[in-house]
Amino acid sequence: MSMFHASQVDDASSLLMAPPTASLMRWVVIATLPGVLAMTYHFGLGVLSNIALASIMGVLLEAAMLHVRSRPIAPALTDTSALLTGVLLGASLPPASPWWLIGVGMLAAVVIAKQLYGGLGHNPFNPAMVGYALLLVSFPTYMTLWAPPQPLINDTLWAQVLGTLPTPQLDALSGATPLDAFKHKAEELSAQQFWLSSPLPEKTLTAWYTISLAWLAGGVLLLIKRIISWHIPAALLGSLVALAALFYLSDSDRFASPIFHLLTGATLFGAFFIATDPVSAATSQRGKLLYGAGIGVLIMVIRNLGGYPDAVAFAVLLMNLCVPLIDLYTVPRPTGHAKDAPGVPR
């Protein structure tokens, strides 16, 4: 994932104090550790194997593309952007996904979404989410095969190497994440009946709640270290909660509560680690608020009215498309320019 381009810094003083890009990205990788460890605890070593494979593939693809483009390889690889893309995409996939599935996702993320646009700092779309969205649309069966929270056995990891489905647990691999289960509950089933029928074991809900809170802990670290600002996460979560509450109050039998939307799926992961990519996000403080709010609204609209139960990737990519327009009307004019000067947005 391309992050922290210097042009994205709001003012000159913060630019002068900004650490090197590689240092910033290393802090983002460190901040993912609580979420990664929580996922590994609940879903097994397949989480780590996903991240390892995606990271290695990302670095190799980045080096290959830089060679093809006749660009220096060492400086670009030491910025750890390809590694970070691998961590984010690997953590987004079902544990022990087939190696070729990870390869296709990293190919889309590093080669298409990043290098073909000019490399670090030039990509208009979030690379990790481009890879994830492509996989979700192209291979929906593989992308929804989440095992129940339990350590994955060796045969499952071996299936990853072979590029096949993990046969020993195939009956248990149902795609019944909390958001998915609620999204596809029977129409005649009310929310109260859904919870009383216990389609999701308490262990499953506890696992997803714990993982979400772990991503929140990592996001707080990024805020404390000033790697990201509060504007995008606050606007995203605020708009999501507000709209979720409106849906819930209008029809509590059909729509889930705001807490459910916050603590299941990729909400907190997306708010702190995906939407805050400043290369593909808005740049000014006002722009970040609009950008984050737009993502939150789109997540809730797609979750409640669309066909995808999570929707973080699609919401981020759609708002990436709006960034040029947001920046046009929210980036402050340089001091001394006349209001109607040519080329200065009003």
Side-chain angles (χ1 to χ4, degrees), residues 93-110:
L93 301 177
S97 293
W99 65 267
W100 57 265
L101 186 79
I102 298 173
V104 171
M106 291 306 297
L107 185 71
V110 174

Side-chain angles (χ1 to χ4, degrees), residues 208-292:
W208 284 100
Y209 292 164
T210 303
I211 291 167
S212 293
L213 292 175
W215 289 122
L216 175 61
V220 171
L221 174 62
L222 293 179
L223 291 172
I224 292 173
K225 298 295 296 184
R226 298 188 178 180
I227 305 298
I228 63 174
S229 68
W230 60 268
H231 302 81
I232 292 175
L236 189 160
L237 298 176
S239 64
L240 183 144
V241 168
L243 196 56
L246 288 176
F247 274 110
Y248 183 68
L249 292 173
S250 66
D251 190 350
S252 60
D253 284 338
R254 181 182 175 191
F255 302 113
S257 69
I259 295 297
F260 183 78
H261 283 288
L262 271 180
L263 296 182
T264 57
T267 301
L268 292 170
F269 173 65
F272 290 99
F273 292 93
I274 301 299
T276 52
D277 169 16
V279 173
S280 56
T283 57
S284 69
Q285 293 183 355
R286 284 190 303 155
K288 290 176 181 178
L289 291 173
L290 290 173
Y291 174 77

Side-chain angles (χ1 to χ4, degrees), residues 11 13 21 33 38 53-55 66 70 89 91 113 122 174 176 193 241 246 265 273-274 289-290 298 301 312 327 335:
D11 53 62
S13 60
T21 301
L33 289 179
L53 283 175
S55 299
L66 291 169
S70 300
L89 181 59
H122 300 284
S174 62
Q193 292 169 331
V241 168
L246 288 176
F273 292 93
I274 301 299
L289 291 173
L290 290 173
L298 286 172
V301 170
V312 170
D327 284 346
T335 304

Side-chain angles (χ1 to χ4, degrees), residues 1-5 7-8 88 113-114 117 119-130 232 273-283 287-288 291-292 295 313 315-327:
M1 186 175 83
S2 303
M3 299 187 71
F4 310 109
H5 190 263
S7 64
Q8 308 297 330
L88 296 178
K114 182 181 177 184
Y117 282 98
L120 179 64
H122 300 284
N123 49 285
F125 300 102
N126 185 294
M129 291 301 97
V130 170
I232 292 175
F273 292 93
I274 301 299
T276 52
D277 169 16
V279 173
S280 56
T283 57
K288 290 176 181 178
Y291 174 77
I295 293 174
V316 169
L317 293 175
L318 287 170
M319 287 307 298
N320 286 163
L321 284 171
C322 301
V323 164
L325 184 63
I326 293 174
D327 284 346

